[in-house]
Amino acid sequence: MSAPHLPKVAGIDPEVPVSTQAAVPLKEIPAAPGAFIQDRLAGWVSDLTTLHELTERLAATATLDTALNELLHAGAALVGARRGLLVLERADTTTPATTLGLGLGPADLGHLETVERSATALGRVLDGPPDAADARDGIATPDLLGDQDVDPRHREVAIRLGYAASYALPLASEAAGRLGGAVWFYDEPGEPSEKQRHLVGLYARYATEHLARLTELERARADLATVAEELLPSRLPRVPGVRLAALHRTGPRGGGDWYDALPLPDHALGLAVGSVGGSGPSAMAAMGRLRAGLRAYAVMEGEDPVAVLSDLELLLRLTEPARTATALFAYCEPAARTVVLAGAGHTPPLVLGDRRCEYVETTLSAPLGMLACWEAPSVELSPAPGETVLLYTDGLLRRTGDAMDRAFARLHSAAASVPRADRHDPAAVTDHVLRAMLPDGLDRSDSAEDVVVLAAHFD
């Protein structure tokens, strides 16, 4: 007996057998494919944000030392390490290598130096071929204590310092070449993940370019400072009745501040400070010409400071018609304890002694090169025995960051606070004034001003 046929319904074939088994209920609803992609995108955005923040912090560094410190800290954060070591080897063999540790003291660095260079991952990164895989991906040593291929001395140092794994990465890029290498140490066996290696590799290539720029900038600054120092007196003269001390620091772009002290006939002494407008090699060259001209004029007519500055103004207009300069020249007779000085737009001297601390009242005058004919009256003062006359450039005031009236008040306060025991030593007076004016020191990278201080102490 055949089963009855089901009637045909549009879209349904009654010949297709129907399953008699009940459908298994769904316990979990499968995730939509878009959720996985969103998670991946969120991870990429997070990684890129972290990398952007770290590179921004690195780009904000203006000196090589701060950049190296930032690189070590950022690399440790990216690979998940706590300590690290960086070696910067510059191309010129005359410059010694720079070694910097993170979480490692001088004694720890000394222990690491006892390990043969070729036995460490950092050494292989530094000395290996630039096109080797290690130069791109770095070298991971996930178990320094258990790996039998590790140098015994290296294992001994690792046990002493308490690290069990390391990851070394070269500091190299196509444009800059290889500048050095860095290694980060893990307290437990392990190694960075593939994502961590990728991120720290991107960061290291960017850091290499930044370090190369800072290295060239630092070399240029050092060359400018050397040239500036060569243009200034190599030593101060010894004249009976007066003792001298001077300090000069060139700004990062090289400026035109200068000083001079030269013995003159009849046991006299000429003191000068000045500042040429602008910065860089051209300003330094102009400074050298002005200083040489002032020395010649001082020998011929030093007893008349106004005539010396008038001749200097003529020299400036003939040789540097588009440039201005400030200058102050003082003709000193230590035996008579008299000083005759004239200034051209320059800051007034400061007299410091046991009974007074005051600025010398000089006549307001224009800088050299601003008027068709410069002229200003001279001023005479008589320092008492034991008093110090302080000459300086406005860079000392500007480096404070204060308004000029506040900077002058600050300088007066700094000079007045010199301990009584140090007031008879011009070098001690200079040091105290500088520490009081610039507590952060003269090496602040955010200031482009030159600083000149010249102290003359009269016995």
Side-chain angles (χ1 to χ4, degrees):
M1 185 173 170
S2 61
H5 291 280
L6 297 175
K8 290 184 177 182
V9 182
I12 299 178
D13 187 359
E15 301 292 335
V16 178
V18 179
S19 173
T20 59
Q21 296 181 358
V24 179
L26 291 175
K27 296 181 179 179
E28 296 181 359
I29 300 176
F36 173 75
I37 297 176
Q38 290 178 356
D39 290 342
R40 291 291 299 273
L41 287 176
W44 291 340
V45 170
S46 176
D47 293 340
L48 290 176
T49 301
T50 300
L51 195 61
H52 175 73
E53 291 176 354
L54 292 177
T55 52
E56 284 289 313
R57 288 174 53 181
L58 181 66
T61 57
T63 63
L64 192 59
D65 289 340
T66 55
L68 294 177
N69 272 292
E70 179 62 30
L71 192 159
L72 262 182
H73 283 83
L78 289 172
V79 301
R82 190 171 60 90
R83 292 178 288 177
L85 174 65
L86 185 147
V87 174
L88 189 66
E89 295 183 332
R90 309 185 190 183
D92 58 325
T93 56
T94 59
T95 305
T98 301
T99 302
L100 185 67
L102 171 64
L104 299 171
D108 300 331
L109 296 178
H111 287 305
L112 288 170
E113 290 178 355
T114 63
V115 182
E116 187 178 354
R117 178 163 166 148
S118 60
T120 65
L122 179 60
R124 294 195 295 273
V125 161
L126 292 171
D127 299 334
D131 56 348
D134 295 343
R136 298 187 302 270
D137 303 328
I139 300 177
T141 310
D143 190 0
L144 281 165
L145 306 183
D147 191 348
Q148 297 301 318
D149 295 332
V150 173
D151 181 76
R153 176 57 185 168
H154 191 188
R155 186 182 297 108
E156 179 183 343
V157 171
I159 294 173
R160 177 186 290 269
L161 301 186
Y163 65 88
S166 67
Y167 176 67
L169 187 69
L171 300 176
S173 68
E174 294 182 3
R178 185 165 54 195
L179 300 183
V183 59
W184 291 275
F185 302 110
Y186 298 89
D187 296 339
E188 302 292 338
E191 59 181 308
S193 64
E194 183 179 352
K195 183 179 75 171
Q196 288 175 321
R197 292 191 186 200
H198 177 67
L199 290 177
V200 77
L202 292 174
Y203 180 81
R205 285 191 289 275
Y206 175 83
T208 301
E209 299 289 344
H210 186 62
L211 292 178
R213 290 190 292 268
L214 289 179
T215 300
E216 290 300 321
L217 182 60
E218 204 168 80
R219 184 181 293 114
R221 288 174 178 173
D223 292 341
L224 284 175
T226 301
V227 173
E229 292 300 326
E230 290 296 325
L231 291 173
L232 297 175
S234 58
R235 60 185 180 87
L236 295 173
R238 294 184 178 181
V239 177
V242 65
R243 285 177 290 152
L244 304 174
L247 183 143
H248 174 261
R249 183 62 54 88
T250 303
R253 292 193 295 270
D257 287 15
W258 54 278
Y259 72 93
D260 206 351
L262 66 157
L264 297 175
D266 299 326
H267 304 288
L269 175 69
L271 300 177
V273 290
S275 177
V276 175
S279 61
S282 62
M284 295 171 61
M287 175 262 284
R289 287 190 288 269
L290 282 185
R291 175 177 171 268
L294 184 139
R295 291 178 72 90
Y297 303 143
V299 170
M300 293 185 295
E301 47 191 1
E303 67 278 0
D304 186 358
V306 173
V308 172
L309 292 185
S310 296
D311 292 340
L312 193 65
E313 196 270 341
L314 177 61
L315 175 66
L316 181 68
R317 283 197 290 115
L318 293 176
T319 60
E320 303 283 342
R323 197 182 295 276
T324 61
T326 65
L328 186 146
F329 178 73
Y331 178 79
C332 309
E333 293 181 295
R337 285 197 300 277
T338 60
V339 177
V340 181
L341 61 89
H346 204 79
T347 52
L350 184 67
V351 180
L352 167 66
D354 292 337
R355 296 185 178 181
R356 64 171 171 168
C357 179
E358 59 188 21
Y359 289 104
V360 178
E361 293 186 5
T362 56
T363 304
L364 182 66
S365 59
L368 304 177
M370 290 193 67
L371 302 178
C373 182
W374 177 90
E375 187 173 355
S378 60
V379 177
E380 184 174 346
L381 66 142
S382 299
E387 289 189 332
T388 300
V389 178
L390 202 65
L391 310 181
Y392 55 94
T393 58
D394 60 357
L396 177 65
L397 305 175
R398 297 185 186 280
R399 281 212 183 196
T400 63
D402 297 333
M404 291 304 289
D405 56 343
R406 291 176 58 89
F408 275 113
R410 188 170 176 176
L411 176 58
H412 184 276
S413 177
S417 65
V418 174
R420 187 174 297 272
D422 294 337
R423 294 187 178 184
H424 298 277
D425 183 357
V429 171
T430 301
D431 292 341
H432 179 88
V433 168
L434 285 173
R435 285 196 305 269
M437 292 287 288
L438 306 172
D440 296 333
L442 279 170
D443 296 323
R444 288 179 54 185
S445 61
D446 58 345
S447 178
E449 299 288 342
D450 289 9
V451 173
V452 165
V453 180
L454 177 62
H457 177 79
F458 289 82
D459 297 330

